[in-house]
Amino acid sequence: MSPTTTTRKNPPPLHTYKIAYITALPKEQTAVLATFDSIHHHQFPTPLTDKNTYTLGCISHHNIVLLCLPTMGTIAAASAVTSLLHTFPSIDFVILVGVGGGIPSNGVRLGDVVVSVPVSGGYGGVVAWDRGMLAEDGVVVVDQNKGGAGRRLKEGLGLGVRRVLDGLKHDGDSMVVRKGINGCLDDVEERFPRLVPRWTRCDGLKDPVLRRWRVCSYLWLVGWVVWKMIMASVVELLGLWGFEMVGSEFDGEMGKGKMNRARAREKKERNIRVHYGLIASGNFVVKDARARDALSNGFEDGILCVEMEAAGVMDQIPCIVVRGICDYADSGKNKDWQEYAAMVAAAYARVLLESLSPEDVDMVDDTGDIPGGSQELEESGTLVGLNLGIQL
């Protein structure tokens, strides 16, 4: 990544823009722009019906169209993508980058990244959970063919893109992905100091699910103090000789501790985890733990996060959803983690694009090996009942 985001006055032709980014919040747009190598000032005509505002730029060898939605929700996303594809017919696929609400029972924590990938049961990475029937006692019945199918097989992501995404998935939390995300965030810190630390560090943020670890740390500290008091008593009983022996050992350990802490501060890495699986998308803001867990339990592989735009995009063009987790979709929902979560999502998207060659993007789709394809979806017709306790 270049030291600063450059401006390109002689941008490439419009037909070379093959990838689109979609964000729903200005914060998400800011995060994405911070990861661009350059921004292209391009003058091009748009239809009168196209109300979108586009920012053109590039990451690595890829020219990108960035679109920030005027409002959240699947309807706004669907309308914006329709205009996008008319203005930029060369777009091959879309990456939705931004924040989402995590499902803690499935191991997702604040600051993690969730990426949509096909899962068993015929789901193509995204399930439109509010496309269904509201039955008795607040049960939402989702038809798998209508709510969870996503893209049909013949219109899915290209083979090259899927291959690279599968490679990153199998890496999991390996050094390749983690080093790439950390490197991107480090570069953002150098290029845009005003974004530090709120956008690039989560050290001062609190995770309610991890409070029990703080309790354990407190108990450990109490134990450490008690042990030191016991050692002080031993020193007093043993006299000067004991004091010198214990004291020198203590000083040595303290010296090592200070040195290790200094090194840790100097080379502190962010503990970033990436999860791959099913994402639930709908027009409702989920802010209830019971409904959130019922939504996750309604699907065989569970839900990793919830968001509000992908269901409006997935039926029009192949898409990958990348969400940084900013809350747990419960009553404690707030905006404290949004900046950092948006930035780690944008950093992962950059790692993905850096792993893709232009040939990967152009590679034609192979219809033989994508799970949950059209044939499987047409035959399944599974109904999923989600007891969300909705009261009207």
Side-chain angles (χ1 to χ4, degrees):
M1 192 183 296
S2 57
T4 58
T5 300
T6 59
T7 299
R8 187 168 176 177
K9 296 182 179 180
N10 297 313
L14 290 181
H15 67 83
T16 62
Y17 291 84
K18 301 294 185 70
I19 301 170
Y21 272 25
I22 294 180
T23 62
L25 299 173
K27 292 178 182 179
E28 298 168 348
Q29 183 183 39
T30 298
V32 167
L33 288 173
T35 65
F36 273 23
D37 289 330
S38 64
I39 295 175
H40 304 162
H41 287 281
H42 219 313
Q43 299 294 330
F44 57 91
T46 58
L48 293 177
T49 56
D50 188 349
K51 305 302 181 182
N52 295 334
T53 300
Y54 303 106
T55 303
L56 308 185
C58 72
I59 290 178
S60 187
H61 302 291
H62 305 286
N63 294 324
I64 301 167
V65 178
L66 169 61
L67 164 63
C68 186
L69 301 177
T71 184
M72 297 187 297
T74 61
I75 297 175
S79 175
V81 168
T82 300
S83 297
L84 167 72
L85 297 180
H86 278 106
T87 303
F88 294 92
S90 59
I91 297 296
D92 288 327
F93 69 95
V94 167
I95 305 178
L96 291 100
V97 183
V99 299
I103 313 298
S105 59
N106 291 330
V108 180
R109 298 291 179 264
L110 299 184
D112 290 356
V113 177
V114 172
V115 183
S116 64
V117 296
V119 298
S120 61
Y123 295 99
V126 176
V127 55
W129 69 268
D130 61 350
R131 290 187 197 172
M133 176 175 60
L134 183 60
E136 295 180 2
D137 300 323
V139 175
V140 177
V141 180
V142 177
D143 185 336
Q144 191 174 18
N145 282 340
K146 296 179 181 178
R151 301 299 295 172
R152 292 191 296 273
L153 172 61
K154 63 182 180 180
E155 298 173 345
L157 291 169
L159 176 61
V161 178
R162 296 205 312 270
R163 185 176 59 192
V164 171
L165 188 58
D166 287 343
L168 294 178
K169 175 185 175 182
H170 292 144
D171 280 338
D173 287 332
S174 74
M175 293 302 295
V176 176
V177 176
R178 185 175 296 181
K179 183 178 180 180
I181 295 176
N182 273 287
C184 178
L185 297 183
D186 289 340
D187 285 337
V188 169
E189 288 184 338
E190 292 183 9
R191 300 161 67 204
F192 305 102
R194 64 183 179 85
L195 299 181
V196 182
R198 187 168 183 82
W199 294 76
T200 60
R201 298 281 173 178
C202 64
D203 301 338
L205 300 174
K206 297 180 181 180
D207 187 338
V209 173
L210 298 180
R211 284 176 181 171
R212 61 181 179 271
W213 295 107
R214 288 196 290 271
V215 172
C216 292
S217 298
Y218 175 77
L219 294 176
W220 180 89
L221 179 61
V222 171
W224 182 82
V225 171
V226 171
W227 182 82
K228 289 302 179 183
M229 292 176 64
I230 293 174
M231 291 303 298
S233 300
V234 172
V235 168
E236 185 176 353
L237 290 174
L238 294 179
L240 181 60
W241 177 79
F243 176 79
E244 290 176 350
M245 293 293 293
V246 177
S248 61
E249 179 181 353
F250 178 77
D251 288 342
E253 291 299 321
M254 287 295 290
K256 292 180 182 178
K258 289 179 180 179
M259 187 180 301
N260 291 335
R261 285 194 296 273
R263 290 174 179 172
R265 282 194 299 268
E266 186 177 340
K267 301 178 64 176
K268 188 170 185 180
E269 274 201 352
R270 307 160 190 87
N271 183 26
I272 298 170
R273 302 188 306 163
V274 182
H275 310 266
Y276 298 85
L278 189 60
I279 293 176
S281 181
N283 275 310
F284 289 97
V285 176
V286 180
K287 197 176 179 181
D288 179 76
R290 178 177 174 272
R292 174 202 66 199
D293 293 339
L295 181 60
S296 177
N297 295 334
F299 300 92
E300 180 181 351
D301 292 314
I303 298 293
L304 295 180
C305 83
V306 293
E307 58 92 71
M308 297 179 63
E309 286 76 39
V313 177
M314 66 182 186
D315 290 329
Q316 299 191 66
I317 187 170
C319 64
I320 301 172
V321 187
V322 182
R323 297 300 184 196
I325 303 304
C326 66
D327 59 63
Y328 288 122
D330 57 13
S331 58
K333 186 180 182 76
N334 59 59
K335 299 180 180 181
D336 293 349
W337 283 76
Q338 281 190 353
E339 290 85 356
Y340 177 77
M343 189 62 74
V344 293
Y348 177 89
R350 182 183 173 91
V351 171
L352 172 61
L353 291 190
E354 288 178 333
S355 303
L356 278 173
S357 67
E359 292 75 21
D360 290 326
V361 176
D362 293 333
M363 192 175 294
V364 296
D365 190 24
D366 181 352
T367 62
D369 63 349
I370 186 171
S374 57
Q375 182 177 359
E376 179 182 346
L377 292 173
E378 290 172 359
E379 295 176 352
S380 62
T382 303
L383 296 178
V384 178
L386 308 174
N387 187 8
L388 306 182
I390 296 176
Q391 297 179 354
L392 300 180

